[in-house]
Amino acid sequence: MDQEEANSRKRKEAPTSALASDLDGPPRNIQDQEPQAKKARLSTILFSDNCEVTHRQLCELLKYAVLGKSAIPKPSWCQLSHQKQLNNVVVFILKGMSQLHFYRFYLEFRFLRKTFRHKFSLPPPTSSFLFDIIGLQKKKSARGCPRTVEGPVISATLKSSIDLQNDPIIQKYGYKDVGLTRCLLTKEEMKTFHFPLQGSPNCENFLLSKCSGFVTDSSPLFGLDCEVCLTSMGKELTRISLVAEGGHCLMDELVKPDFKILDYFTSFSGITKEILNPVTTRLKDVQKLLRELLPLDAVLVGHCLDLDLRVLKMIHPYVIDTSLLYIGKQGRRFKLTFLAKAILGKDIQCSKKPGHDSIEDARTALELVQYFLKYGPKKIAEFNLEALAANQEQGDEGGATHVLEQARVEVPLFPFNIVQFSFQPFPPLFAEELKNSMKTKWTQMSTVYAGPFSKDCNVGALKKVFGSLGPVQSITLVLETYRPYFSIQYEVLEAAQLAIETMNGTLLEGSYIKVHRLVTEFTLECDTLVRELEQDSENQGTIYVAGIGETFKEHLLEQSNLFPDLEAVILPKEVKSRKQKNYCFLKFKTLNSAQVALEILKGKDWKLKGRNALTPRHLQAWLKDIHPEPALPMGLRIVPPLLERHIVRTLKANHPKIVAWRWSRKIEKLYHSLSPGTFCLILMPGTKKLADSPVFAAQLLLQEAQHPGEVRGFPALHLTHLPRPLTPPPLGRCFSTAALSKAWRQGLQVRAEQMGLP
């Protein structure tokens, strides 16, 4: 705890906050016991009192989670065990939301509070927040003005300014026309972009195609596209389409997976349970047919063809991938729909159709290759695909549903993903009212009324009795009653709840007293909130113990054999005097161990008082940050702020309470679609402080997804992921794992434009 105290002194008081979930791991100062089955585990339990991390520390964790200790030092503020067991890292950013959202609508965020275990503070977000947490430098535009591209089409001025010499297509292929063999991926490129190859990891059971002939510029091209579903073993093939030059379809087969289907991805594949039920064709059947159809010198063409070959479990040496043929800056890979519109002038994958048409996609990829071979790289470079894509993205903000639905399909395919949702932040006036209502709510929940007492009762004795349950902020005599009652305001919610549970109906100072809370609009659902707080994932295995003395820690260590599963002892101290307070929190590995320990501590040998913990450590820090006000004067009727009460009463669909409930359920569905071994982080960045606007803290949640499950599509705004090879920029696009990983490994300060970020 000395190290924790030292860390706390070094850090500034944080105005913002973050949420993180532990992966059931041990604290840093306790010897790690080898689990029966290794899995990645995050331990942050002995972190500082104010639960604060910086953007740099968060970046440390992300780097280590993706690259491991062979390339990156371990994070300085937490312990991530068995990092090699991680398959994916996913960051969800709820832009516009803050800790105020989370705690004001705590009951609505049911899934988040039950799943994600630890909570931390983050500094207020800056304009480069996304770049800070992944260790990039944001490009500064000339004279501080943001770079924009206006208009639906490229202007003549923009066209004339295109620098063909720096175009990645010109740099790779030159200005002159090229033949088919020049467009083939080399073996090294196939390895870089994770195409299945002989001797590659996880390709031991893949089938070799019969194509081993000598390829020339006149070799035949075949367009290939596959549709997949999610099964208990991951992605499996459900449809394959093969198209020959001229657009003739040679093969279009539905395929029944070998394992139980969890999600049909109907919105993408168009395939439903009813369609697939009567199908008897299996993977081995289409593998055999494909080998029979393809000539020895066949060249397969597709978009992100590596994924198609992997679900086919086949190895083919001659491929042209249109996502790499029409490569953008910094390895950006454009979508097939974009290339079809920009190059061929046709619309594919229209929203009116149920899912993709794999024949159409295979034919489109084939036509894109034929166009490239016919007109040459110079013609392609003159399109200036980067500018066209930028214009399209400005007009695509309404296509939110498609983007997040795409996220649930694509996220499991890549090692590092960022998915960002945008929400309208609270207006300053409404936010201030919410903040004030939170102050009042927690103050009233932590205040109890006790009585009646005799008029000559000993106030000092009363203070001692109630003080033994936890630190008392104030004891006030209620003057509005005939017989004396006292209002006792506690520092922590556990003490107030303990007073109600243990003191109500007891004989004290010659009177049988009642102990209860004042019933107001803020405490009507107090019992429900207390039950939900007990079930908060951070409180599982944690107990609150009151009445301890200065020697409690030493006594606890001497009797450590009674508490074998004890992970941490959290001893709060006075801010100024650093004197230990009369209560603590004990963290155990399991809920059962915590309950056994609680009974021992309440027994005749220890004679302490306690209960299950209610306030997660991050909540305690946050409540101190919003400075709870003293109990309001007696006799005043408490009402909620007028603005909030009016909005809640109208129950509009866009009210924050409804939004919180709805998005908690949507994130839960997306979370359950993640593959096992996925490290999941959720950020609520808050808002940057403006002139007279309040700062809202960030929330950070971390958790490993253990079990994949079925999930349906739901709306989202932005998708950013870092695929294993090179891919496009953010907020609806992707950037390069290869370039980012290299920068992380070498400790470079990468500029945003190098990653293709705007």
Side-chain angles (χ1 to χ4, degrees):
M1 299 310 297
D2 293 339
Q3 181 62 41
E4 178 186 0
E5 181 181 331
N7 290 340
S8 178
R9 289 197 190 102
K10 292 178 182 178
R11 273 181 269 269
K12 296 180 180 179
E13 193 68 21
T16 57
S17 151
L19 248 179
S21 104
D22 189 76
L23 304 183
D24 301 323
R28 298 187 61 180
N29 68 337
I30 293 181
Q31 187 174 358
D32 188 12
Q33 297 179 358
E34 191 72 7
Q36 293 180 353
K38 288 185 178 180
K39 64 178 182 179
R41 299 179 301 168
L42 178 68
S43 175
T44 58
I45 195 170
L46 295 183
F47 197 55
S48 66
D49 287 336
N50 60 3
C51 302
E52 176 188 347
V53 296
T54 64
H55 293 163
R56 177 175 293 183
Q57 289 173 321
L58 178 56
C59 184
E60 283 179 8
L61 176 60
L62 288 175
K63 289 180 181 180
Y64 184 73
V66 174
L67 300 177
K69 63 182 179 182
S70 61
I72 296 294
K74 292 183 177 180
S76 59
W77 60 279
C78 63
Q79 179 179 342
L80 181 60
S81 305
H82 308 307
Q83 177 274 338
K84 292 182 179 179
Q85 304 302 316
L86 288 179
N87 298 319
N88 304 81
V89 176
V90 183
V91 181
F92 295 105
I93 301 178
L94 309 186
K95 187 178 180 182
M97 284 198 174
S98 67
Q99 65 188 24
L100 182 59
H101 287 80
F102 184 80
Y103 283 123
R104 177 61 185 85
F105 305 113
Y106 181 84
L107 294 178
E108 283 72 25
F109 281 114
R110 185 175 186 274
F111 170 73
L112 299 186
R113 57 184 164 80
K114 285 181 176 291
T115 304
F116 294 85
R117 192 169 176 186
H118 291 295
K119 307 172 181 67
F120 297 102
S121 298
L122 287 174
T126 63
S127 58
S128 59
F129 174 73
L130 176 60
F131 304 89
D132 292 341
I133 65 173
I134 57 176
L136 301 183
Q137 288 183 330
K138 188 174 183 180
K139 181 177 180 180
K140 295 181 180 179
S141 55
R143 298 182 182 179
C145 299
R147 297 179 298 156
T148 60
V149 182
E150 299 182 355
V153 295
I154 304 178
S155 65
T157 305
L158 186 57
K159 279 188 176 180
S160 64
S161 66
I162 296 174
D163 186 1
L164 294 183
Q165 185 177 355
N166 294 324
D167 189 282
I169 295 177
I170 296 297
Q171 290 178 339
K172 181 174 182 178
Y173 298 104
Y175 290 92
K176 297 181 180 181
D177 294 350
V178 296
L180 182 152
T181 54
R182 181 71 177 82
C183 298
L184 292 173
L185 289 180
T186 65
K187 187 174 182 179
E188 189 60 34
E189 286 175 322
M190 292 178 72
K191 183 178 180 181
T192 299
F193 294 103
H194 294 264
F195 277 78
L197 296 169
Q198 282 184 284
S200 297
N202 303 319
C203 296
E204 296 81 2
N205 299 322
F206 280 36
L207 191 66
L208 284 168
S209 67
K210 291 183 179 180
C211 301
S212 57
F214 184 73
V215 176
T216 67
D217 287 342
S218 58
S219 292
L221 297 170
F222 296 88
L224 176 70
D225 187 66
C226 296
E227 300 296 344
V228 300
C229 68
L230 178 66
T231 73
S232 56
M233 291 299 290
K235 298 289 191 300
E236 288 198 59
L237 182 69
T238 53
R239 182 182 177 185
I240 175 174
S241 298
L242 185 71
V243 176
E245 292 181 79
H248 176 64
C249 181
L250 298 177
M251 177 183 181
D252 184 31
E253 293 285 343
L254 291 172
V255 183
K256 177 161 287 187
D258 294 327
F259 295 91
K260 181 182 178 181
I261 297 177
L262 303 176
D263 194 332
Y264 285 86
F265 294 150
T266 303
S267 57
F268 283 89
S269 65
I271 295 173
T272 63
K273 181 179 181 179
E274 292 72 24
I275 292 175
L276 216 53
N277 267 344
V279 175
T280 58
T281 304
R282 297 287 183 173
L283 176 62
K284 62 181 181 180
D285 300 320
V286 296
Q287 288 176 332
K288 180 181 179 181
L289 181 57
L290 196 60
R291 296 184 77 194
E292 292 173 354
L293 288 173
L294 295 177
L296 293 179
D297 62 342
V299 175
L300 287 180
V301 172
H303 196 80
C304 294
L305 193 56
D306 57 309
L307 304 179
D308 295 324
L309 290 174
R310 284 193 174 275
V311 295
L312 276 170
K313 296 187 177 180
M314 292 189 70
I315 296 173
H316 187 81
Y318 312 123
V319 296
I320 299 177
D321 193 320
T322 49
S323 70
L324 298 172
L325 185 66
Y326 289 86
I327 198 74
K329 291 181 180 179
Q330 299 303 317
R332 179 178 182 180
R333 300 169 77 173
F334 299 103
K335 294 180 179 179
L336 184 62
T337 51
F338 168 74
L339 292 176
K341 183 67 174 178
I343 304 298
L344 305 176
K346 69 176 186 178
D347 295 310
I348 64 170
Q349 301 178 5
C350 298
S351 57
K352 296 180 181 179
K353 300 178 182 179
H356 298 178
D357 184 342
S358 56
I359 297 177
E360 181 184 50
D361 290 354
R363 187 178 289 130
T364 300
L366 190 58
E367 291 173 2
L368 285 169
V369 172
Q370 291 170 330
Y371 190 98
F372 193 98
L373 294 174
K374 181 177 181 179
Y375 293 101
K378 183 180 178 183
K379 175 72 173 178
I380 305 303
E382 289 174 349
F383 276 99
N384 195 357
L385 296 175
E386 294 284 346
L388 284 174
N391 280 303
Q392 186 189 71
E393 285 156 8
Q394 285 185 345
D396 274 354
E397 292 184 1
T401 302
H402 175 78
V403 175
L404 188 55
E405 199 163 329
Q406 182 181 359
R408 70 187 178 94
V409 176
E410 293 187 358
V411 161
L413 304 177
F414 306 110
F416 186 25
N417 304 265
I418 298 177
V419 182
Q420 177 167 295
F421 313 99
S422 292
F423 302 89
Q424 187 69 32
F426 288 151
L429 179 60
F430 183 43
E432 194 61 35
E433 290 192 359
L434 287 182
K435 192 173 181 180
N436 290 335
S437 72
M438 288 297 293
K439 295 178 184 179
T440 305
K441 183 183 185 75
W442 289 101
T443 298
Q444 290 188 9
M445 286 181 62
S446 301
T447 302
V448 298
Y449 288 80
F453 294 96
S454 61
K455 294 183 179 180
D456 58 349
C457 66
N458 187 335
V459 177
L462 294 179
K463 186 173 182 180
K464 183 177 180 181
V465 171
F466 283 98
S468 67
L469 304 176
V472 175
Q473 286 192 331
S474 65
I475 295 184
T476 307
L477 177 63
V478 179
L479 301 176
E480 300 296 325
T481 57
Y482 174 69
R483 290 186 294 176
Y485 280 78
F486 287 91
S487 168
I488 302 105
Q489 183 181 340
Y490 284 101
E491 183 179 305
V492 292
L493 179 61
E494 285 86 351
Q497 190 65 25
L498 197 58
I500 293 173
E501 294 168 349
T502 62
M503 299 296 295
N504 188 40
T506 60
L507 179 64
L508 185 62
E509 288 292 306
S511 302
Y512 286 97
I513 62 170
K514 294 181 179 180
V515 181
H516 55 85
R517 290 186 179 90
L518 184 68
V519 179
T520 71
E521 293 177 74
F522 291 106
T523 59
L524 278 174
E525 289 191 321
C526 187
D527 291 342
T528 300
L529 183 55
V530 166
R531 286 196 301 270
E532 294 299 327
L533 283 168
E534 283 186 331
Q535 296 176 29
D536 189 295
S537 58
E538 187 177 356
N539 288 330
Q540 296 300 299
T542 303
I543 59 174
Y544 167 84
V545 180
I548 66 173
E550 295 182 357
T551 61
F552 172 76
K553 182 179 178 181
E554 289 72 19
H555 191 192
L556 192 69
L557 294 176
E558 291 173 0
Q559 302 290 325
S560 59
N561 60 308
L562 297 176
F563 313 102
D565 289 335
L566 179 63
E567 285 191 323
V569 181
I570 302 169
L571 296 164
K573 296 182 179 180
E574 299 287 351
V575 176
K576 294 182 179 179
S577 66
R578 305 307 298 168
K579 183 180 178 182
Q580 179 180 308
K581 295 184 179 181
N582 71 334
Y583 72 96
C584 72
F585 291 92
L586 303 181
K587 178 71 175 177
F588 292 84
K589 289 183 179 180
T590 65
L591 179 61
N592 184 60
S593 299
Q595 296 304 311
V596 171
L598 183 59
E599 293 304 316
I600 293 175
L601 293 170
K602 290 164 61 177
K604 61 180 181 179
D605 293 332
W606 293 76
K607 297 180 181 179
L608 298 175
K609 298 174 182 178
R611 70 173 326 278
N612 294 332
L614 292 176
T615 47
R617 295 178 62 212
H618 176 268
L619 176 58
Q620 297 173 32
W622 185 70
L623 289 174
K624 291 177 183 177
D625 182 59
I626 66 173
H627 306 298
E629 298 172 348
L632 297 179
M634 299 303 107
L636 285 182
R637 178 174 173 268
I638 308 300
V639 296
L642 294 178
L643 176 61
E644 183 189 358
R645 184 175 60 174
H646 172 71
I647 296 178
V648 172
R649 188 177 295 158
T650 61
L651 287 178
K652 293 181 179 179
N654 61 347
H655 182 266
K657 178 186 286 285
I658 307 300
V659 171
W661 175 81
R662 184 169 64 240
W663 278 91
S664 180
R665 295 191 63 185
K666 290 176 178 178
I667 293 172
E668 178 180 4
K669 291 180 179 179
L670 182 55
Y671 176 86
H672 286 304
S673 75
L674 300 177
S675 302
T678 298
F679 187 48
C680 183
L681 301 86
I682 295 182
L683 291 171
M684 297 182 184
T687 58
K688 184 179 179 181
K689 186 172 184 178
L690 302 176
D692 295 317
S693 301
V695 174
F696 303 131
Q699 298 273 16
L700 166 64
L701 306 90
L702 294 82
Q703 179 68 354
E704 177 185 334
Q706 294 295 330
H707 305 289
E710 184 174 359
V711 57
R712 297 184 177 86
F714 46 86
L717 293 182
H718 301 301
L719 166 65
T720 301
H721 56 248
L722 301 174
R724 300 179 188 277
L726 300 172
T727 26
L731 306 188
R733 297 180 287 168
C734 319
F735 28 44
S736 159
T737 296
L740 183 62
S741 298
K742 180 180 179 181
W744 280 354
R745 292 177 193 276
Q746 297 179 0
L748 303 178
Q749 283 286 358
V750 183
R751 298 187 63 84
E753 65 270 22
Q754 291 177 293
M755 306 302 300
L757 292 170

